[in-house]
Amino acid sequence: MSHDAEIDGSPLAAAGGLVVWITGLTAAGKTTLATGLVDRLRERRIGVVLLDGDALRAVFEHDLGYSLDERRRCGRRYARLAAMLAAQGLDVVVATISMFEELRQWNRAHLARYLEVYVRAPAAVRRMRRVGEGPGERGLVVGEDLPFDEPEASDVVLENDGSTPLDELAAGLWRHVRRQLALARE
């Protein structure tokens, strides 16, 4: 069964909460920015859920490995979960590598209120941030050892190369999200 056939026509595609899909390579700053955004939303008493890729793997008991096919399946799970929560009126912030453009295209086509954020950081900066981490659980790093489809149509691109303080990047992200939330109230 194709991925689209699993979802099309289901209530998962219904309008509801905003899905902010934060993508980027390992150590780009996705989780840090996502956590800050969720904190801001919660301060305003907005019902929001954070879905972080690493935490979700643990929730799903690591039943999928790290082959390209298993990574695709994992990404589809995240998209369906975000859609289900958004359909119930919650805003959802997803922080995940999201290495496949086909998944991000599916999100655009099926999530009524979708904001894609690409956190771009140069390889040298990402490697510096990973110092002391070791080679990683799987030994393969997306964007270095495995292919990464750079997002083609992100709504927001944040350059996290170390030249702009993270709080400024977070403030820029907040402006975009706040605008999306205001549009939903009109």
Side-chain angles (χ1 to χ4, degrees):
M1 178 183 293
S2 79
H3 170 56
D4 287 333
E6 292 173 23
I7 304 296
D8 285 350
S10 78
L12 297 181
L18 173 66
V19 175
V20 180
W21 194 275
I22 302 175
T23 184
L25 294 170
T26 299
K30 301 176 301 295
T31 298
T32 302
L33 289 164
T35 302
L37 176 59
V38 166
D39 289 347
R40 281 188 182 216
L41 290 165
R42 287 184 178 149
E43 285 170 6
R44 286 151 182 84
R45 305 238 184 268
I46 295 173
V48 62
V49 175
L50 172 62
L51 302 178
D52 181 76
D54 292 333
L56 285 171
R57 276 194 177 269
V59 166
F60 291 121
E61 299 180 331
H62 299 281
D63 67 327
L64 292 176
Y66 293 91
S67 72
L68 291 179
D69 182 57
E70 289 169 312
R71 288 172 184 265
R72 270 188 190 86
R73 289 176 53 210
C74 202
R76 289 192 299 257
R77 279 183 180 177
Y78 301 168
R80 287 192 301 263
L81 180 57
M84 183 188 78
L85 293 168
Q88 295 177 50
L90 292 170
D91 291 324
V92 182
V93 178
V94 181
T96 180
I97 291 174
S98 189
M99 61 193 285
F100 304 106
E101 182 60 27
E102 69 192 53
L103 176 65
R104 295 186 298 268
Q105 288 174 0
W106 185 90
N107 288 349
R108 284 192 175 286
H110 293 88
L111 299 174
R113 297 182 55 221
Y114 176 71
L115 180 72
E116 184 177 294
V117 179
Y118 176 33
V119 183
R120 184 171 28 218
V125 171
R126 293 190 322 271
R127 275 193 288 281
M128 241 176 39
R129 291 176 184 156
R130 291 193 328 252
V131 168
E133 246 183 43
E137 183 181 326
R138 286 83 49 206
L140 298 176
V141 177
V142 175
E144 294 175 18
D145 306 303
L146 296 171
F148 174 72
D149 298 337
E150 191 157 5
E152 296 174 1
S154 294
D155 301 295
V156 180
V157 177
L158 299 174
E159 299 290 346
N160 194 6
D161 59 8
S163 65
T164 303
L166 199 56
D167 60 337
E168 284 183 35
L169 292 174
L173 174 57
W174 173 242
R175 282 190 297 275
H176 286 283
V177 170
R178 197 174 59 216
R179 195 171 348 191
Q180 290 297 315
L181 294 172
L183 288 173
R185 282 185 243 137
E186 292 178 354

